[in-house]
Amino acid sequence: MTFDDRAIDWLADLLADAARAEIMPRFRRLGEGDIRQKTSAADLVTEADVNAERLITARLRERYPAAMIVGEEACSDNPALLGGLGDAELAFVIDPVDGTFNFASGVPLFGVMLGVVVNGETVAGIIHDPVGKDWLVGAKGAGSHIRHAHGSLEKVRVAAPAPISEMTGSVSWQYLKEPERSRLARNHTKALSQFAYRCAAHEYRLLASGYAHFVVYNKLMPWDHLAGVLIHQEAGGHAARVDGSAYLPSHVDGGLLVAPDKQSWNELRRELWAD
């Protein structure tokens, strides 16, 4: 069983189909019973998440019957589904609505994300914007592009390296424990400015397109990061876990620092974690 990167267009269209059929008809139209809490008031699931994932999963099973399929909502119900992702011959990792809190709040910053893993390595990533109706697509060794609705491709590139005082970035300190939480929140002020979209799909788009410099994440669920990290790396960037080790599909902890290049990564690691 092999993955041909010519299937990326098919996968991109699949995400758009799910958005048209299950996500956008519910945007700003969710009923009282269509939104549920998972772990907290900030961790939500909607009928759009559930139904979009079902559609994407069903289509993937038709085309790739032997592949492992890891969906965020399926894993929420059965965490054991994550096991074996790092060794799978072929796996698809789905975030049906990344930025669910925004979606449920009527804020148009959400996306559909898909990562493709072959023998433990991420080889392709797709982020679809259902509102803008375009895609951010990356493939191993082929660079990253925005695929516009009219069909043209626009190559993207990460921001040029800069001193931390001239960088724009995001630090998800809310998921950290003390004293690291306060340390990163304080040191984030060394940067020029900050952003916080509550949506990894759009944050990775901002980074890969060169409009921001860095992000720090603590929570590493594969549906949130595999596609984005691959796209960012193919756009010329550098990402690693906080200890400097490579980020792999099997990782769910260890934190993640994403930067324009390795030198910037080292500076950010030193400055953001300084006492």
Side-chain angles (χ1 to χ4, degrees):
M1 179 173 55
T2 60
F3 173 76
D4 186 333
D5 62 10
R6 287 176 294 182
I8 290 177
D9 285 342
W10 181 85
L11 293 170
D13 290 340
L14 171 58
L15 300 191
D17 288 346
R20 281 192 299 268
E22 303 291 353
I23 298 172
M24 292 309 294
R26 292 179 169 92
F27 183 49
R28 295 178 176 166
R29 297 182 180 91
L30 292 168
E32 185 177 340
D34 295 336
I35 307 172
R36 301 182 300 281
Q37 288 188 19
K38 290 199 282 189
T39 61
S40 72
D43 185 15
L44 306 177
V45 61
T46 74
E47 287 301 298
D49 298 74
V50 173
N51 286 287
E53 183 172 303
R54 284 175 180 163
L55 187 157
I56 295 167
T57 298
R59 297 267 189 92
L60 287 171
R61 290 202 188 284
E62 289 176 2
R63 186 174 175 118
Y64 301 98
M68 179 180 184
I69 300 176
V70 177
E72 177 181 6
E73 305 314 327
C75 286
S76 179
D77 294 334
N78 180 12
L81 293 174
L82 265 177
L85 178 59
D87 302 317
E89 182 181 348
L90 174 63
F92 297 96
V93 181
I94 309 162
D95 192 339
V97 181
D98 183 72
T100 299
F101 185 89
N102 292 343
F103 178 81
S105 304
V107 176
L109 277 175
F110 52 88
V112 189
M113 303 175 75
L114 180 82
V116 183
V117 177
V118 174
N119 296 321
E121 180 183 22
T122 309
V123 299
I126 304 170
I127 299 174
H128 175 54
D129 177 1
V131 176
K133 297 182 180 179
D134 62 9
W135 302 258
L136 185 60
V137 179
K140 189 74 176 178
S144 292
H145 301 78
I146 292 175
R147 176 185 165 193
H148 294 284
H150 51 73
S152 70
L153 292 178
E154 177 187 349
K155 189 173 181 62
V156 294
R157 183 76 186 174
V158 299
I164 190 171
S165 61
E166 298 176 15
M167 289 188 186
T168 295
S170 174
V171 177
S172 296
W173 50 261
Q174 65 269 31
Y175 296 108
L176 296 166
K177 295 180 180 179
E178 295 291 2
E180 190 176 24
R181 176 187 176 109
S182 293
R183 181 185 305 129
L184 274 110
R186 179 184 68 248
N187 287 331
H188 193 185
T189 62
K190 296 177 181 179
L192 175 66
S193 63
Q194 60 89 31
F195 62 91
Y197 287 172
R198 301 190 72 154
C199 176
H202 279 278
E203 290 173 354
Y204 278 116
R205 180 176 179 135
L206 198 69
L207 292 164
S209 300
Y211 295 108
H213 298 85
F214 70 90
V215 288
V216 177
Y217 294 112
N218 185 57
K219 188 179 178 184
L220 298 189
M221 303 315 294
W223 43 81
D224 288 326
H225 301 292
L226 292 184
V229 167
L230 186 279
I231 289 167
H232 182 263
Q233 289 174 330
E234 286 297 316
H238 181 76
R241 291 204 292 175
V242 173
D243 65 2
S245 62
Y247 169 58
L248 302 175
S250 58
H251 292 151
V252 295
D253 56 20
L256 184 66
L257 173 57
V258 181
D261 62 3
K262 191 170 184 178
Q263 184 176 344
S264 301
W265 190 98
N266 287 329
E267 180 186 0
L268 286 161
R269 178 64 179 86
R270 181 178 64 253
E271 293 294 336
L272 291 174
W273 276 264
D275 291 327

